[in-house]
Amino acid sequence: MLLLALDTATPAVTVALHDGAAVIASSSQVDARRHGELLLPAVDRVLAEAGVKLDAVTGIVTGIGPGPYTGLRVGLMTADTFGLALGVPVHGLCTLDALAYAADIEKGPFVVATDARRKEVYWATYADSRTRLTDPAVDRPADIDERVAGLPAVGAGAMLYPDTFPVVHEPEHVSAAALASLAVERLAAGEELPAPRPLYLRRPDAQVPRNYKVVTPK
């Protein structure tokens, strides 16, 4: 196995390579505005660090969010393109699950929250680092106060709202190393991973204006 993992669902542009036993190379940069510019160079760095070519990859896993439309689609389209070019399977994995897997919390339950902008967070609760209790959702932190009260939290979204998430643990951002390790673990257990399809949870920010005037000649 040589699994290429990548995630662009958050401000982190993160890539890793897993050989079935351990992560052998990884790269992460945090830049919410340059997913498209940073992802392919990160893939090149990871492959070079591992001393392999892209055609040695036997499978791909990509974070499916939830996340903002623009950033999330960069990783998904790249994963799909690699999969088609190489003829290898492409798997999806919830980005929140990878954050939970990497959390430095010994015992649950806890909540994972990433920044959804618009004063909202993408979030889910977990019994432990491998077991999600609730479906991913997007809400204003004040609206979920009662549901997450007393729970430790993980993620950059939680750090933005200390009134709702007073106790926040590392990591702040998702890593493809955690994504790859979790995917390998689940595949080895015979689990079927989700399809590489986006968890947007809401409409994209950019939309076609309504009632715009037609200026082309009749």
Side-chain angles (χ1 to χ4, degrees):
M1 172 186 285
L2 198 59
L3 185 72
L4 177 66
L6 50 93
D7 195 302
T8 59
T10 74
V13 180
T14 178
V15 179
L17 202 61
H18 199 295
D19 67 0
V23 173
I24 58 174
S26 63
S27 171
S28 292
Q29 294 173 271
V30 177
D31 191 326
R33 298 180 181 275
R34 299 176 63 215
H35 293 87
E37 297 174 46
L38 297 176
L39 182 57
L40 290 181
V43 171
D44 287 342
R45 282 196 305 275
V46 166
L47 293 172
E49 182 182 339
V52 299
K53 301 293 185 181
L54 182 61
D55 59 9
V57 169
T58 61
I60 298 167
V61 60
T62 178
I64 60 174
Y69 177 81
T70 303
L72 182 53
R73 67 178 179 173
V74 171
L76 287 163
M77 291 303 298
T78 300
D80 275 343
T81 301
F82 283 164
L84 286 171
L86 299 172
V88 300
V90 181
H91 309 285
L93 201 61
C94 177
T95 299
L96 300 180
D97 289 358
L99 269 163
Y101 185 79
D104 66 347
I105 298 177
E106 294 183 1
K107 186 178 179 181
F110 61 92
V111 59
V112 174
T114 59
D115 184 15
R117 304 172 188 172
R118 302 184 192 175
K119 299 181 179 179
E120 294 178 330
V121 292
Y122 297 116
W123 68 284
T125 56
Y126 290 78
D128 53 51
S129 62
R130 293 170 174 80
T131 310
R132 178 157 30 94
L133 296 173
T134 60
D135 289 335
V138 57
D139 289 287
R140 288 179 177 270
D143 293 339
I144 59 173
D145 271 341
E146 293 184 3
R147 299 175 65 181
V148 301
L151 296 181
V154 174
M159 293 180 176
L160 294 173
Y161 303 98
D163 290 343
T164 299
F165 309 104
V167 180
V168 182
H169 293 250
E170 294 290 339
E172 180 178 357
H173 296 291
V174 68
S175 75
L179 190 81
S181 297
L182 179 57
V184 168
E185 184 177 297
R186 289 183 173 176
L187 289 170
E191 295 183 34
E192 185 175 345
L193 298 184
R197 299 295 176 261
L199 284 172
Y200 289 133
L201 301 188
R202 68 183 183 203
R203 295 182 181 276
D205 292 334
Q207 298 184 29
V208 176
R210 296 181 180 180
N211 302 320
Y212 60 90
K213 294 181 179 180
V214 177
V215 295
T216 53
K218 294 182 179 179

